[in-house]
Amino acid sequence: MTFSALDSELLGPLFAADAMRDIFSDRNRIAMMLRAEAALARAQATLRLAPPELAASLEAISPGNLDIEALGRDTAIAGVPTIPFIKAVREKLPKDLERAFHKGATTQDIVDTALVLQMRDGLQLIERDLARTVTGLVRLARKHRATICVGRTYGQHAVPLTFGYKAALWATGIAESTAELPALKARVLAASLGGPVGTLATFGDKGPALVEAFARELDLAAPPIAWHALRGRMAEAGAWIAIMLGTLAKMAGDVVHLMSTEVGEVAEPHVPGRGGSSAMPHKRNPVGSTVIIAAHEAAKGYVTSLIDAMAVSHERPPGLWHAEWLALPQLFGLASGALREAVAISEGLTVDTERMRKNLNLTQGLLFSDAVASALAARHGRGEAHRILEEAAGKGRDEGKHLRDALLGDPKLAKDKAAIERAFDLAPFADAGALWTDRALEKIDKRNI
Amino acid sequence: MTFSALDSELLGPLFAADAMRDIFSDRNRIAMMLRAEAALARAQATLRLAPPELAASLEAISPGNLDIEALGRDTAIAGVPTIPFIKAVREKLPKDLERAFHKGATTQDIVDTALVLQMRDGLQLIERDLARTVTGLVRLARKHRATICVGRTYGQHAVPLTFGYKAALWATGIAESTAELPALKARVLAASLGGPVGTLATFGDKGPALVEAFARELDLAAPPIAWHALRGRMAEAGAWIAIMLGTLAKMAGDVVHLMSTEVGEVAEPHVPGRGGSSAMPHKRNPVGSTVIIAAHEAAKGYVTSLIDAMAVSHERPPGLWHAEWLALPQLFGLASGALREAVAISEGLTVDTERMRKNLNLTQGLLFSDAVASALAARHGRGEAHRILEEAAGKGRDEGKHLRDALLGDPKLAKDKAAIERAFDLAPFADAGALWTDRALEKIDKRNI
Amino acid sequence: MTFSALDSELLGPLFAADAMRDIFSDRNRIAMMLRAEAALARAQATLRLAPPELAASLEAISPGNLDIEALGRDTAIAGVPTIPFIKAVREKLPKDLERAFHKGATTQDIVDTALVLQMRDGLQLIERDLARTVTGLVRLARKHRATICVGRTYGQHAVPLTFGYKAALWATGIAESTAELPALKARVLAASLGGPVGTLATFGDKGPALVEAFARELDLAAPPIAWHALRGRMAEAGAWIAIMLGTLAKMAGDVVHLMSTEVGEVAEPHVPGRGGSSAMPHKRNPVGSTVIIAAHEAAKGYVTSLIDAMAVSHERPPGLWHAEWLALPQLFGLASGALREAVAISEGLTVDTERMRKNLNLTQGLLFSDAVASALAARHGRGEAHRILEEAAGKGRDEGKHLRDALLGDPKLAKDKAAIERAFDLAPFADAGALWTDRALEKIDKRNI
Amino acid sequence: MTFSALDSELLGPLFAADAMRDIFSDRNRIAMMLRAEAALARAQATLRLAPPELAASLEAISPGNLDIEALGRDTAIAGVPTIPFIKAVREKLPKDLERAFHKGATTQDIVDTALVLQMRDGLQLIERDLARTVTGLVRLARKHRATICVGRTYGQHAVPLTFGYKAALWATGIAESTAELPALKARVLAASLGGPVGTLATFGDKGPALVEAFARELDLAAPPIAWHALRGRMAEAGAWIAIMLGTLAKMAGDVVHLMSTEVGEVAEPHVPGRGGSSAMPHKRNPVGSTVIIAAHEAAKGYVTSLIDAMAVSHERPPGLWHAEWLALPQLFGLASGALREAVAISEGLTVDTERMRKNLNLTQGLLFSDAVASALAARHGRGEAHRILEEAAGKGRDEGKHLRDALLGDPKLAKDKAAIERAFDLAPFADAGALWTDRALEKIDKRNI
């Protein structure tokens, strides 16, 4: 299993996507650390703070040249991966470049920047899958804009709406999360460079220019001040992922319920071999939704750690920074698996419109009681209208009758016939559902979310 | 104590500010629910969906006209406060307006909108205090832009920097949180109106216009679709508050340590009677920082609940929505107390620059070992430079000598004298600290964060 | 609303029970602080460390004699409630007893001990309601020990079991939590007395005897060492409450689903006026379960804070201890409301056995496919049995036939007739459900959990 | 990095111990699943529910015979690892044993039981390291039972105590956690066997006997009822680990502070190469404490997920159960790394008693102000005593004098000379510290915690 199911050869493929796994592999982390060092060397060269050959020498080193297992052993002693990493890289450099390497920088500069580079690639995957999910749901919503089904509150049938409206709601939530991504990226994708305590004193007044050159080399933002001890960025990134998973979990929870045997209004896309049971051959379990729900469930805890980890002491803390390493990459892993399933659901959900119609009738007309009460109130007053309604509902229950029939059979309501029939008309519900669906889809389309 | 210390007559004044307490009082909640109903009536009147007199009748009702205790008793039965509230309000209305009241709306429309109105006022208080805190810290940073002190990593002396730099870092973190507030408000301060299941079917094609009119009446945003079942807004608001508290907690944690007996570099502003001990008359405890740290500590948990509460089922969930009521207002309470203390610290922190100087010397020059190593490496090579340094450091320790003296006393280093003396020069550290302080303050000033 | 919905006059009655509210009232907290001081005085008198009159003087003071609002104002300055409290109490004492009062004790001794006294009373209420809930569920389980209904996994119909089994499972979970209460109380209900830094140095070698006398006076345990800075007790108490709420939430979640319109197998006990909707008169919402689910939802976050708060620094920390005050009492509040509802559900749940029977048939026999597969495998082999089953299931679906009929209609299966009929027999499922129900109830009864 | 730092080749060796890594490896998980299946076969054979040869055939299969990568690929489709696992194992069995294999069992029986077996081994490692840590701390406490040092509250010097007392407090906290382990194991180490929905209907009235035989085969407890849907066990195990980490974090936080440059009273055991800095050669960072603090920080979040995951729906939930896989093993990983460091600290902490003495003097006698106030109050009354003390303290500050000298220099206090000198006597503080240290160690020794 490995400690994290995400990393398990057995369970990992279920919970995380391969492309994300590559980004957060040890190998790629080393690659990103090397890339950060090379960018630093290039930036320093520009400002005549390092010999121009250093960057080329660093670019020639690849993760394959380093013994990751040995680095791991030494990290357990040193307490941070950078110390053995720098030692190992230095050994690969020409003697005369040794002194220039990693000059004026500190562990956190390289580890933070490498993590940000991984996060950038990770966010790109997330963005791609969010877009696909929204597109899939928009199509689904459009198709079912007027497909009438039951609205449910507290698990109870409430009032009819349309399935397109439900899908448009899911799409809107996910599009709202997506809409925040540019601001998040602008905030989070910042280079980290401050030297031992943030002021880059080694470089005197060239510090700010160096940070800007370094950031430019990596196409990252240059922060106003070193963020070694300002971890809001990481907490915001984590919170965004968890909240984004919340929008997926809303959909997944609805799908699980709509797919339940008694409801049966939708089914996750059929994948041969998926969703069966070791004991019950007839089962079709909502595996995709399960992955999404588990991801949402697991994600929250990491946000706690990341918010906590903001209270770092002075210029670098013992422990809180390290807790980020335990939290942040797993959020990306969870997101990748959940989004893979969200894409599949959005593109392939099976909808049983007939069953939706059937379920509308389960309460024999009670679904329309609000409309009926309004209709009767005009002639009979609010109180009397409620009394009539309750009587008819009781009668309906006792005699197994539809509420409309119970009402129409009441001679006292002869004059209300037209009003009663109107109250049971599904068209206004279908129209309202379609109207709001169209409105939401238009706003999503115009990114006016 | 009451269940929440925030609400306790005994402990509440310590943890929350009175102005925020008023906003989240029962009385004000009722007032905001009445305001939402009146705005709905006005909006409906505009669209000829309600008689124009209804709004005036509703505006004439104030929380004082309602028996909150009785409403509470009935809420325990009904499960939501809106049902008894509507009944009580209806009783105060002229008979002929009864039917028009709350027409087509649902519980959540009123409860959500009232909460958003409270949040708007709450965010305004928070914004005001954030601005004051940043202003205070900017002044502090400017004053001490070149005040040299120790930079610390892992609790250890690392390299000198300036106290202004530290204050600028605190200010930057808080300014970064502040900078996100406009986007948060644009997102969160949205009217909630959707009727039973979100589609406002009662109003046919007038639904969207009604939502817009309602939002306009309250000066709130009109959402693309009813957000009864899209709770990202609430989770984002909660996460923002907790992360903002994280930026305060970073400062508070530093202050606690800098104020500790052994360090003694700063003191919280003196308030007569504050920070004493029932047993130890000489104590001066960091009470302001304590309040901030406790708020940060307590806030995280609520974020978990809010992220969790996004996975609502269908059009309204049993339980998750209610969990928001238990979480969100407390975050505002915690923020109000923490910010009150942050303002006071930022405006009144006492700085002992002499002690800062003194502490610089605690390691007898080891603070400069990085600079020394660089200085010696030029002539002796990296490896030999380290060897020399270690030898001198050992000698210094044994003989109680300053590292500089140990080095200068070594005849082999005669030619390095100037380089050694330069390495122990504080000026470059002061300059770098001042440089970055200025840069950060400028960015804060231009809101270029 | 007040910051915490638990403390709101409007919402509090829904979420918390009055008896618990009294225990955690400001007034009662003051009473418990006075009680702790009086017990300390008595204990000191026994050891000739205080004049015997002191205790009597303290016992004569009641919360009503103190101005709680003024204490609150001063707490906001002092940072802890004990300092103004001691000052106020001292003013009520005869001049010559002043010096003896609170001698050698510290703030935390009184605040911690008072909280433990509140917790003791709170745990007693919890224990009473847990016992009632288990009793109610045991009765329910016994009654329905053989009432056949559907077992569901992943929201899908799986295999039949009995409703009694489900109730017995709920009861077992709650009984398991209950069974841990004695150990929890032994651990948590400990007196706190250590003086400024835990060693009670003022009292020399009488320290341990004093702690024991103090504990005896309050009928609390005497800890091996002062627990000012060992907060495991509080974290364990919080975790226990949250986990206990988890066992209730398991039941509540099941009830919500079983009560949903499409399933309709149970209903929460009818309380006039409960569970309606402001917009939909026909609704019957699961209000009790909603309260339980919201409590579970909200509780988790507090556990995080309590576990966090264990990392206190040295002899008393700035902030972490205070975070306990914000967390722990709310857990008791949440527990009280959730348990009130759990008792009601356990004692009054309505069960619709006919609907359970009906729902069994929703899949037209697929519920028995596992049994059928086994039955056919004996004669046809595992692979062939599955093939036959799938074919029959497909045919059943297409022709709207029950799986049994589809199988019995297949001439190739003529010899399997008896085996097929046995496979669709509900009796073994009812028997197995009843068997395990009886076994669980017996273990609960014998407290062999 | 892999998603979890615990699983990273680069970072994992820092955060987790190898022995624990082996327990939670994929290979070992498969081994434990095989062991569960074999035990089930043996148990079934005993009751004549399976042919006796099945167990032997299963025991002959080892993880090496299965293609874990292929199982992972299929798990991503199936949604649970058991389905491909069973298929793969079945293929290795003689044809005639196929039907008997996994008979009447379900996925969760095997996955839960395998996890419990891993947890048993994991708890054994934890127990061993807890015992070593307590032993180390007991030795440390004994040695320093009377070594005077400063007691600190809110980061401020408070009153003297002994370092042995501090170590005894750490030891007590850890011993208290340890003392709960037997009850936890009795509760958690239970076999999971219930078949599709918990009632093991396939086996009729042999179900209970089968569960007991199965449990006996694995030396696990037999639960009163299937715990597929009663997850309290897992939440309790997680909470216990996190709380245990809290007791370690209390120690680690103290060590970090005591090791800080300004305090310098202790140092983590020296390990060559440990705790250095890539930029600052003189640094000696508290790496062991850092690992512990990060583990505590990260652990809390998992407890949230586990408590949440208790609200499973019906007989098996979609998502919540899976979230356990993401949470629980990581808690074991975190515990293993933190305990490795705790053992090292407890056995090798360096104590600088001279520095402790020196730090006692930092406040020039204010540390004794409480004692002085008491001493003077006897003759001068409480109020006047405080006035005298404040005057002397002020004078001391102004003239750089020790409080004792300032007092002794006051002619008005001539008669108080002996009392004053007694008040500054360290002996009572040392005695009290030693007394409580002895008492705590004795209780730890007798397991009377």
Coordinates of all heavy atoms in Angstrom, one line a residue, chain A residues 263-318:
Chain A
V263 N -33.8 5.1 -6.8 CA -34.0 6.3 -7.6 C -33.7 5.9 -9.1 O -34.6 6.2 -9.9 CB -33.0 7.4 -7.1 CG1 -33.2 8.6 -8.0 CG2 -33.4 7.7 -5.7
G264 N -32.5 5.4 -9.4 CA -32.2 4.9 -10.7 C -32.3 5.9 -11.9 O -32.7 5.5 -13.0
E265 N -32.1 7.2 -11.6 CA -32.3 8.2 -12.7 C -31.1 8.4 -13.6 O -31.2 8.8 -14.7 CB -32.8 9.5 -12.1 CG -34.0 9.4 -11.3 CD -34.6 10.7 -10.8 OE1 -34.0 11.7 -11.0 OE2 -35.7 10.7 -10.2
V266 N -29.9 8.1 -13.1 CA -28.7 8.2 -13.9 C -27.8 7.0 -13.6 O -28.0 6.2 -12.7 CB -27.9 9.5 -13.6 CG1 -28.7 10.7 -13.6 CG2 -27.2 9.3 -12.2
A267 N -26.8 6.8 -14.5 CA -25.8 5.8 -14.2 C -24.5 6.3 -14.6 O -24.4 7.1 -15.7 CB -26.1 4.5 -14.9
E268 N -23.4 6.0 -13.9 CA -22.1 6.4 -14.3 C -21.8 5.7 -15.7 O -22.4 4.6 -15.9 CB -21.0 6.0 -13.3 CG -21.0 6.9 -12.1 CD -19.8 6.6 -11.2 OE1 -18.9 5.9 -11.6 OE2 -19.7 7.3 -10.1
P269 N -21.0 6.3 -16.5 CA -20.7 5.7 -17.8 C -20.2 4.2 -17.6 O -19.4 4.0 -16.7 CB -19.6 6.5 -18.4 CG -19.1 7.4 -17.3 CD -20.2 7.5 -16.3
H270 N -20.6 3.4 -18.4 CA -20.3 2.0 -18.3 C -18.8 1.8 -18.8 O -18.4 2.1 -19.8 CB -21.2 1.1 -19.1 CG -20.9 -0.3 -19.0 ND1 -21.0 -1.0 -17.7 CD2 -20.5 -1.3 -19.8 CE1 -20.7 -2.2 -17.9 NE2 -20.4 -2.5 -19.1
V271 N -18.0 1.2 -17.9 CA -16.7 0.7 -18.2 C -16.6 -0.8 -17.9 O -17.0 -1.1 -16.8 CB -15.6 1.5 -17.4 CG1 -14.2 1.0 -17.7 CG2 -15.7 3.0 -17.6
P272 N -16.3 -1.6 -18.9 CA -16.3 -3.0 -18.6 C -15.4 -3.4 -17.4 O -14.3 -2.9 -17.3 CB -15.7 -3.6 -19.9 CG -15.9 -2.6 -20.9 CD -15.8 -1.3 -20.2
G273 N -16.0 -4.1 -16.5 CA -15.3 -4.5 -15.3 C -15.4 -3.5 -14.1 O -14.9 -3.8 -13.1
R274 N -16.0 -2.4 -14.4 CA -16.0 -1.4 -13.3 C -17.3 -1.5 -12.5 O -18.4 -1.8 -13.0 CB -16.0 0.0 -14.0 CG -16.1 1.1 -12.9 CD -15.5 2.4 -13.4 NE -14.2 2.6 -12.7 CZ -13.7 3.8 -12.6 NH1 -14.2 4.9 -13.0 NH2 -12.5 3.9 -12.0
G275 N -17.1 -1.3 -11.2 CA -18.2 -1.2 -10.3 C -18.8 -2.5 -9.9 O -19.9 -2.5 -9.3
G276 N -18.2 -3.6 -10.2 CA -18.8 -4.9 -9.8 C -18.4 -5.1 -8.3 O -17.9 -4.3 -7.6
S277 N -18.8 -6.3 -7.8 CA -18.6 -6.6 -6.4 C -18.0 -8.0 -6.4 O -18.3 -8.8 -7.2 CB -20.0 -6.6 -5.7 OG -20.0 -7.5 -4.6
S278 N -17.2 -8.3 -5.4 CA -16.6 -9.6 -5.4 C -17.6 -10.6 -5.0 O -17.5 -11.8 -5.2 CB -15.4 -9.6 -4.4 OG -15.8 -9.6 -3.1
A279 N -18.7 -10.1 -4.3 CA -19.7 -11.1 -3.8 C -21.0 -11.0 -4.6 O -21.8 -12.0 -4.7 CB -20.0 -10.8 -2.4
M280 N -21.3 -9.8 -5.2 CA -22.6 -9.7 -5.8 C -22.5 -9.3 -7.3 O -22.3 -8.1 -7.7 CB -23.3 -8.6 -5.1 CG -23.6 -9.0 -3.6 SD -23.9 -7.5 -2.5 CE -22.2 -6.9 -2.3
P281 N -22.6 -10.3 -8.2 CA -22.3 -10.1 -9.6 C -23.2 -9.0 -10.3 O -22.8 -8.5 -11.3 CB -22.5 -11.5 -10.2 CG -23.2 -12.3 -9.2 CD -22.9 -11.7 -7.9
H282 N -24.4 -8.8 -9.7 CA -25.3 -7.9 -10.4 C -25.0 -6.4 -10.1 O -25.6 -5.5 -10.7 CB -26.7 -8.2 -9.9 CG -26.9 -7.9 -8.4 ND1 -26.4 -8.7 -7.5 CD2 -27.5 -6.9 -7.8 CE1 -26.7 -8.3 -6.3 NE2 -27.4 -7.2 -6.4
K283 N -24.1 -6.1 -9.1 CA -23.9 -4.7 -8.7 C -23.3 -3.8 -9.8 O -22.5 -4.3 -10.6 CB -23.0 -4.7 -7.5 CG -23.6 -5.3 -6.2 CD -24.6 -4.3 -5.5 CE -23.9 -3.0 -5.2 NZ -23.1 -3.1 -3.9
R284 N -23.6 -2.6 -9.8 CA -23.0 -1.6 -10.6 C -22.7 -0.4 -9.7 O -23.5 0.5 -9.6 CB -23.9 -1.2 -11.8 CG -23.3 -0.1 -12.6 CD -22.8 -0.6 -14.0 NE -22.7 0.5 -14.9 CZ -23.6 0.8 -15.8 NH1 -24.7 0.1 -15.9 NH2 -23.5 1.9 -16.6
N285 N -21.6 -0.4 -9.0 CA -21.2 0.6 -8.0 C -20.7 1.9 -8.7 O -20.1 1.8 -9.7 CB -20.2 0.1 -7.1 CG -20.7 -1.1 -6.2 OD1 -21.9 -1.1 -5.9 ND2 -19.8 -2.0 -5.9
P286 N -21.0 3.0 -8.0 CA -20.6 4.3 -8.6 C -19.1 4.5 -8.3 O -18.8 5.3 -7.4 CB -21.5 5.3 -7.8 CG -21.9 4.6 -6.6 CD -21.8 3.1 -6.8
V287 N -18.2 3.9 -9.0 CA -16.8 3.9 -8.7 C -16.2 5.3 -8.9 O -15.4 5.8 -8.1 CB -16.0 2.9 -9.5 CG1 -14.5 3.1 -9.3 CG2 -16.4 1.5 -9.1
G288 N -16.6 6.0 -10.0 CA -16.1 7.3 -10.2 C -16.5 8.3 -9.1 O -15.6 9.0 -8.6
S289 N -17.7 8.3 -8.7 CA -18.1 9.1 -7.7 C -17.4 8.8 -6.3 O -17.1 9.7 -5.5 CB -19.7 9.0 -7.5 OG -20.3 9.4 -8.7
T290 N -17.2 7.5 -6.1 CA -16.5 7.1 -4.9 C -15.1 7.7 -4.9 O -14.7 8.2 -3.8 CB -16.4 5.5 -4.9 OG1 -17.7 5.0 -4.8 CG2 -15.5 5.0 -3.8
V291 N -14.4 7.7 -6.0 CA -13.1 8.3 -6.0 C -13.2 9.8 -5.7 O -12.3 10.3 -4.9 CB -12.4 8.0 -7.4 CG1 -11.1 8.9 -7.5 CG2 -12.1 6.5 -7.6
I292 N -14.1 10.4 -6.3 CA -14.3 11.9 -6.0 C -14.6 12.2 -4.5 O -14.0 13.0 -3.9 CB -15.4 12.5 -6.9 CG1 -14.9 12.4 -8.4 CG2 -15.7 13.9 -6.5 CD1 -16.1 12.7 -9.4
I293 N -15.5 11.4 -4.0 CA -15.9 11.6 -2.6 C -14.8 11.3 -1.7 O -14.5 12.1 -0.7 CB -17.2 10.7 -2.3 CG1 -18.4 11.3 -3.0 CG2 -17.4 10.7 -0.8 CD1 -19.6 10.3 -3.0
A294 N -14.0 10.3 -1.9 CA -12.9 10.0 -1.1 C -11.8 11.1 -1.2 O -11.2 11.4 -0.2 CB -12.2 8.6 -1.5
A295 N -11.6 11.6 -2.4 CA -10.7 12.7 -2.5 C -11.1 13.9 -1.7 O -10.3 14.6 -1.0 CB -10.5 13.1 -4.0
H296 N -12.3 14.3 -1.8 CA -12.8 15.5 -1.1 C -12.7 15.2 0.4 O -12.2 16.1 1.2 CB -14.3 15.7 -1.4 CG -15.0 16.8 -0.7 ND1 -16.1 16.6 0.1 CD2 -14.6 18.1 -0.5 CE1 -16.4 17.8 0.6 NE2 -15.5 18.7 0.3
E297 N -13.1 14.0 0.8 CA -12.9 13.6 2.2 C -11.5 13.8 2.8 O -11.3 14.3 3.8 CB -13.3 12.1 2.3 CG -13.4 11.5 3.6 CD -14.4 12.2 4.4 OE1 -15.5 12.6 3.9 OE2 -14.2 12.4 5.6
A298 N -10.6 13.3 1.9 CA -9.2 13.3 2.4 C -8.5 14.7 2.3 O -7.6 15.0 3.0 CB -8.4 12.3 1.5
A299 N -9.0 15.5 1.4 CA -8.4 16.8 1.1 C -8.4 17.7 2.3 O -7.5 18.5 2.5 CB -9.0 17.4 -0.2
K300 N -9.6 17.8 2.9 CA -9.8 18.8 3.9 C -8.7 18.8 5.0 O -8.3 19.9 5.4 CB -11.1 18.5 4.7 CG -12.3 18.6 3.9 CD -13.5 17.9 4.6 CE -13.1 16.4 5.0 NZ -14.2 15.7 5.7
G301 N -8.3 17.6 5.4 CA -7.3 17.6 6.5 C -6.0 18.3 6.1 O -5.4 18.9 6.9
Y302 N -5.6 18.2 4.8 CA -4.4 18.9 4.4 C -4.5 20.4 4.5 O -3.5 21.1 4.7 CB -4.0 18.4 3.0 CG -3.7 16.9 2.9 CD1 -4.5 16.1 2.2 CD2 -2.7 16.4 3.6 CE1 -4.3 14.7 2.1 CE2 -2.4 15.0 3.6 CZ -3.2 14.2 2.8 OH -2.9 12.9 2.8
V303 N -5.7 20.9 4.2 CA -5.9 22.3 4.3 C -5.6 22.8 5.8 O -5.0 23.8 6.0 CB -7.3 22.7 3.9 CG1 -7.5 24.2 4.0 CG2 -7.5 22.3 2.5
T304 N -6.1 22.0 6.7 CA -5.8 22.3 8.1 C -4.3 22.5 8.4 O -3.9 23.4 9.0 CB -6.3 21.2 9.0 OG1 -7.7 20.9 8.7 CG2 -6.3 21.6 10.5
S305 N -3.6 21.5 7.9 CA -2.1 21.5 8.1 C -1.5 22.7 7.4 O -0.6 23.4 8.0 CB -1.5 20.2 7.5 OG -1.9 19.1 8.3
L306 N -2.0 23.1 6.2 CA -1.4 24.2 5.5 C -1.7 25.5 6.2 O -0.8 26.4 6.2 CB -1.8 24.2 4.1 CG -1.3 23.0 3.2 CD1 -2.0 22.9 1.9 CD2 0.2 23.2 3.0
I307 N -2.9 25.7 6.7 CA -3.2 26.9 7.4 C -2.4 27.0 8.7 O -1.9 28.1 9.0 CB -4.7 27.0 7.7 CG1 -5.5 27.1 6.3 CG2 -5.0 28.2 8.5 CD1 -7.0 27.1 6.5
D308 N -2.3 25.9 9.3 CA -1.5 25.8 10.5 C -0.1 26.2 10.3 O 0.6 26.9 11.1 CB -1.5 24.4 11.0 CG -1.6 24.3 12.5 OD1 -2.3 25.2 13.1 OD2 -1.0 23.4 13.1
A309 N 0.4 25.7 9.2 CA 1.9 25.9 8.8 C 2.2 27.3 8.5 O 3.4 27.6 8.3 CB 2.2 25.0 7.7
M310 N 1.2 28.2 8.5 CA 1.5 29.6 8.3 C 2.2 30.3 9.5 O 2.9 31.3 9.3 CB 0.2 30.4 7.9 CG -0.4 30.0 6.6 SD -1.9 30.9 6.3 CE -1.2 32.6 6.0
A311 N 2.0 29.7 10.6 CA 2.5 30.4 11.8 C 4.0 30.1 12.1 O 4.4 29.6 13.1 CB 1.6 30.0 13.0
V312 N 4.7 30.3 11.0 CA 6.2 29.9 11.1 C 6.9 30.9 12.0 O 6.5 32.1 12.1 CB 6.8 30.0 9.7 CG1 6.1 29.0 8.8 CG2 6.7 31.4 9.1
S313 N 7.9 30.4 12.6 CA 8.7 31.3 13.5 C 9.9 31.9 12.8 O 10.6 31.2 12.1 CB 9.1 30.6 14.8 OG 10.1 29.7 14.5
H314 N 10.0 33.2 12.9 CA 11.1 34.0 12.3 C 11.4 33.6 10.9 O 10.5 33.5 10.1 CB 12.3 33.8 13.2 CG 12.1 34.4 14.6 ND1 11.6 35.7 14.7 CD2 12.2 33.9 15.8 CE1 11.4 36.0 16.0 NE2 11.8 34.9 16.7
E315 N 12.6 33.4 10.6 CA 13.0 33.3 9.1 C 12.9 31.9 8.5 O 12.9 31.7 7.3 CB 14.4 33.9 8.9 CG 14.4 35.4 8.9 CD 13.9 36.1 10.2 OE1 14.6 35.9 11.3 OE2 12.9 36.7 10.2
R316 N 12.7 30.9 9.4 CA 12.5 29.6 8.9 C 12.1 28.7 10.2 O 12.8 28.8 11.2 CB 13.7 28.9 8.2 CG 13.3 27.7 7.4 CD 14.3 27.4 6.3 NE 14.6 28.6 5.6 CZ 15.8 29.1 5.5 NH1 16.9 28.6 6.0 NH2 16.0 30.3 4.8
P317 N 11.1 27.9 10.1 CA 10.6 27.3 11.3 C 11.0 25.8 11.4 O 11.3 25.2 10.3 CB 9.1 27.3 11.1 CG 8.9 27.1 9.6 CD 10.1 27.7 9.0
P318 N 11.0 25.3 12.5 CA 11.3 23.8 12.7 C 10.0 23.1 12.6 O 9.2 23.1 13.5 CB 11.9 23.7 14.1 CG 11.4 24.9 14.8 CD 10.9 25.9 13.9

